[in-house]
Amino acid sequence: MTDDSASPAHRPATDPSVPPALPLPGLADDDVAQLRHALAEARYTVDAVHDLLGDRAAAALNRNRTIPGRLRLDADRSALALLTRLWRFQRAVPVSEVRRLLPLESLVDGGILAADGDRAWALVDIRPYADDAGDWWVAADLTPGLDGRSAALPVDHVLGLNGASSTLAQLTIRRPVARALDLGTGCGVQALHLARHCDTVVATDVNRRALAMASLTARLNGIEVDVREGSLYAPVANERFDLIATNPPFVVSPGGRYVYRDSGLAGDEASRRVVVEGASRLGDGGMLQSLANWMHIRGQDWQERVGAWVEQTGCDAWVIQREVQDPAEYIELWLRDSGETGSPGDDQMYRDWLAWFDENGVEGIGFGWINLRQSGADSPTVRIEGWPHAVEQPLAPVIGDWFDRVDRLRIDDDALLDLHLTVADDVVLEQIGQPGEQDPEHLVLRQHRGMMRAVQSGTAEAGFVGACDGTLPVGAIIDALADVLDVDGGRLRGQVLPRVRTLLQDGFLNTADGRPAM
C-alpha cells in the first residue's frame, strides 16, 4: 500500500511567517537526461494524467483538491500514478517505488526530492504542460494551498503554471523572429513558448531560485535558453530584441517583499519601467507584450496615466484594461496569494497597505495588457481602452493583425476611397427593436471571434458595410449611399471615412484581397 501522507514540505511550519529555506535545485546533465527519460517513459503528460484521473478528479485537481484523485489512484501501481502522487498531488511515496523509476539519490542531492526512511517527497514541482505543438515539463516551487494546507510563502518563491502565465502565452504573437526576451522568467514557461519560434531566447530574473528553475525547465525539455540574473533590463544592457514577452512583478504596493510579484518599487513604477525602458530595447518592428497593473488616481483619468507611459516610447500601442479592483479587494487578493491571510502580521500589513493607497489617492487598480510595436512612424497609433467583456483566446493572431492593419492604414483619404472592401467572415449585422416596428431602434455590428466587439452603427454606416462585397471602391459606395439618403456626398464622406478606418483597424472589414490596406 502506498504511503499517501502529506509531504513534510507542506506541513504547517512552527512560525508560518518564516518558511524554511530550501536548497537551489540543480542537476548534472546526465541526471537531467535520466529524469527526462523517466518522465517520457511514464507518459507523464497533461493528457495522460487527465485520462488517468478522469474528468471529476482532474477538475478537482485544477481547484487544488487532490482527494478525488487519490481515491481513484488508491490501487494503481503504474509509473504514471506514482509520478502523479509525487508531483501533482505532492504526497509522500515509498522510496522503493521512486528508486525503481527515478535517479533518487541524484534528485535528493539536487534539491528536487527529499527522503527520510522509507518515504520520499517532492521539494520542487515537476509538472506536465502542453501547447498545440507538443508536451513539456515545467519546474517550479510546490503549489501553495493544495488541499487547504496554507502557510506563508518564502520570499523567493517561484510561481508555477497559473492563470497569468497562460494569459500571456495566449497573447504573445507567435511569428518567427531572431531574438526574444523573457523578462522576469520565473519558472521559464514563456521561454518554452518563445523557443518554438525564436532563434535565440534570453531569460532574465532577479531571483536566483527562479533562474535555477527556469534553467531546469529548459534543460528538461532540451531547449537552449540564455539565463541571466538581474533586475528588469539590467542583464541585457544595450541589446535589441524582436520580441519581449513579460509577466513582471507588477503588484501595486508600498514596496512588497515577494520577488515573484513585488518589484520593490512603489506603486505602479515597475509596470511603467517595463514599458518605457523596454521600448528602447526593441529592434525595428520589434514587439513588447506585457501584463501590467496601474493605479487609478483620484482626479486623473487612468488612460492619461498609462498614455503618458506609452507616449514616452514613440511606439504604436494597444493597451487593454481587463478589470479594475477596489483597493481593499486588491489587498485581500494578494494577501491570500502569499498565504498571509490570517497570519500574525496580516492585520498590520492590511492596515499599512490600505493607508498607503489612501495617502496616494488610489481609488482603484487596473489590470490589463500592454502591447507595443517599434514601427518608426512619425505619428504612432495609440489605442488605450477598457474591455472587460469576453474575448476568444488565443488573442495573439488578433493582436498581430491589429498592428499590421495600423501600419497599412497609414494612407490618406484618397487612397482609402480607392480600396475595395469585404466584410469579415465572423461579422454579423443585428437589428434591434420592438416587435412589429418597421424600423429598428439600433443597428449593431458584432464580431464572433477575437475581441468579439459589438459596435452600434448608424443607417449610413450599416448601409456602407452591407454594400462591401469587394466589387465597388469605398468612394463609389459612399456616393451611392448619398444618392439613396439624399444627403451631400462630401459631407457623408467626412462622416463615414473615419468609421471605415476604425472598422478596418478592428477587423470588421478587409480589403478584397484579404489585406486591410496597401
Side-chain angles (χ1 to χ4, degrees):
M1 185 172 181
T2 59
D3 185 349
D4 202 26
S5 56
S7 158
H10 274 301
R11 291 178 180 170
T14 304
D15 180 357
S17 68
V18 186
L22 294 175
L24 288 178
L27 292 176
D29 289 343
D30 287 347
D31 296 325
V32 171
Q34 281 187 266
L35 177 56
R36 180 170 60 243
H37 177 75
L39 298 175
E41 282 290 300
R43 292 183 60 249
Y44 186 54
T45 66
V46 173
D47 287 344
V49 170
H50 184 278
D51 291 344
L52 178 75
L53 296 177
D55 291 341
R56 183 177 71 175
L61 187 56
N62 287 336
R63 299 190 299 270
N64 284 345
R65 302 296 294 188
T66 68
I67 290 175
R70 285 154 50 198
L71 289 172
R72 183 177 175 91
L73 300 189
D74 186 53
D76 194 324
R77 299 294 179 269
S78 68
L80 180 58
L82 175 75
L83 298 182
T84 301
R85 289 191 190 95
L86 180 63
W87 276 308
R88 294 299 286 116
F89 296 169
Q90 295 174 184
R91 312 298 293 185
V93 296
V95 160
S96 59
E97 293 192 23
V98 177
R99 185 175 280 116
R100 176 171 55 87
L101 296 175
L102 302 170
L104 176 63
E105 287 72 19
S106 296
L107 295 180
V108 170
D109 291 343
I112 308 301
L113 302 180
D116 182 13
D118 63 350
R119 295 185 311 143
W121 60 92
L123 298 177
V124 168
D125 187 17
I126 306 293
R127 181 170 301 197
Y129 181 57
D131 67 0
D132 291 341
D135 294 290
W136 289 307
W137 300 286
V138 174
D141 275 322
L142 300 176
T143 303
L146 197 63
D147 284 329
R149 301 191 297 266
S150 62
L153 301 176
V155 295
D156 61 350
H157 179 79
V158 180
L159 198 64
L161 301 169
N162 61 86
S165 62
S166 176
T167 294
L168 179 59
Q170 294 181 92
L171 295 177
T172 303
I173 296 171
R174 302 299 173 195
R175 297 176 180 177
V177 296
R179 304 192 75 237
L181 172 63
D182 176 10
L183 181 75
T185 185
C187 64
V189 64
Q190 304 304 325
L192 294 180
H193 288 283
L194 293 171
R196 288 234 195 266
H197 61 103
C198 306
D199 296 336
T200 299
V201 177
V202 178
T204 66
D205 207 291
V206 72
N207 182 2
R208 299 184 71 182
R209 184 168 179 80
L211 294 174
M213 294 291 192
S215 176
L216 180 55
T217 293
R219 294 164 67 211
L220 270 176
N221 295 284
I223 290 171
E224 291 288 335
V225 176
D226 182 355
V227 177
R228 305 183 194 177
E229 181 180 359
S231 178
L232 295 179
Y233 295 101
V236 296
N238 296 318
E239 297 176 48
R240 296 290 182 271
F241 296 91
D242 303 298
L243 176 60
I244 299 174
T246 177
N247 177 18
F250 54 64
V251 171
V252 176
S253 73
R257 61 174 179 163
Y258 292 99
V259 291
Y260 77 91
R261 74 178 199 199
D262 300 312
S263 66
L265 301 171
D268 52 16
E269 177 64 8
S271 292
R272 188 195 71 82
R273 289 192 186 181
V274 165
V275 171
V276 175
E277 297 177 13
S280 65
R281 273 117 179 135
L282 294 175
D284 292 343
M287 287 285 307
L288 182 151
Q289 298 185 262
S290 177
L291 306 186
N293 277 183
W294 42 77
M295 299 187 296
H296 286 229
I297 304 294
R298 187 178 302 113
Q300 180 186 30
D301 190 318
W302 75 269
Q303 292 173 308
E304 291 180 3
R305 182 178 187 82
V306 179
W309 304 352
V310 171
E311 186 178 3
Q312 295 177 62
T313 70
C315 292
D316 292 331
W318 187 11
V319 179
I320 305 169
Q321 179 172 269
R322 295 292 290 157
E323 63 176 309
V324 182
Q325 285 191 317
D326 167 84
E329 180 186 17
Y330 187 80
I331 294 168
E332 293 161 15
L333 166 68
W334 292 110
L335 288 176
R336 286 194 304 273
D337 181 78
S338 57
E340 294 172 295
T341 300
S343 71
D346 168 65
D347 184 78
Q348 192 59 49
M349 282 185 286
Y350 199 143
R351 289 173 180 268
D352 292 345
W353 203 338
L354 193 59
W356 185 88
F357 277 146
D358 290 342
E359 290 166 5
N360 287 275
V362 179
E363 297 183 322
I365 299 90
F367 171 80
W369 313 325
I370 298 178
N371 303 281
L372 304 179
R373 186 170 72 176
Q374 191 62 264
S375 64
D378 293 334
S379 299
T381 298
V382 174
R383 171 179 281 177
I384 302 176
E385 63 178 328
W387 189 256
H389 312 293
V391 299
E392 182 189 49
Q393 292 282 22
L395 204 60
V398 174
I399 295 173
D401 189 48
W402 187 88
F403 281 95
D404 290 345
R405 290 167 178 269
V406 161
D407 194 43
R408 294 170 188 158
L409 280 167
R410 302 189 207 278
I411 57 176
D412 60 24
D413 284 351
D414 288 340
L416 184 59
L417 289 167
D418 287 338
L419 294 180
H420 292 244
L421 306 180
T422 59
V423 181
D425 292 340
D426 66 318
V427 172
V428 297
L429 177 64
E430 298 177 354
Q431 301 186 39
I432 302 172
Q434 295 296 320
E437 287 192 355
Q438 184 174 358
D439 297 318
E441 295 178 12
H442 302 289
L443 295 169
V444 176
L445 291 169
R446 186 181 300 278
Q447 293 173 323
H448 286 275
R449 307 293 300 273
M451 288 293 289
M452 302 174 69
R453 294 186 187 274
V455 296
Q456 192 164 332
S457 174
T459 302
E461 183 179 328
F464 175 85
V465 172
C468 287
D469 60 3
T471 58
L472 294 175
V474 169
I477 295 175
I478 295 177
D479 289 343
L481 278 173
D483 289 339
V484 171
L485 299 174
D486 194 22
V487 297
D488 179 73
R491 179 176 298 178
L492 190 62
R493 287 187 180 194
Q495 294 173 352
V496 172
L497 279 183
R499 293 295 299 146
V500 172
R501 286 186 181 275
T502 301
L503 292 172
L504 276 166
Q505 189 179 93
D506 289 344
F508 285 88
L509 297 173
N510 294 315
T511 54
D513 61 359
R515 294 168 60 87
M518 298 301 292

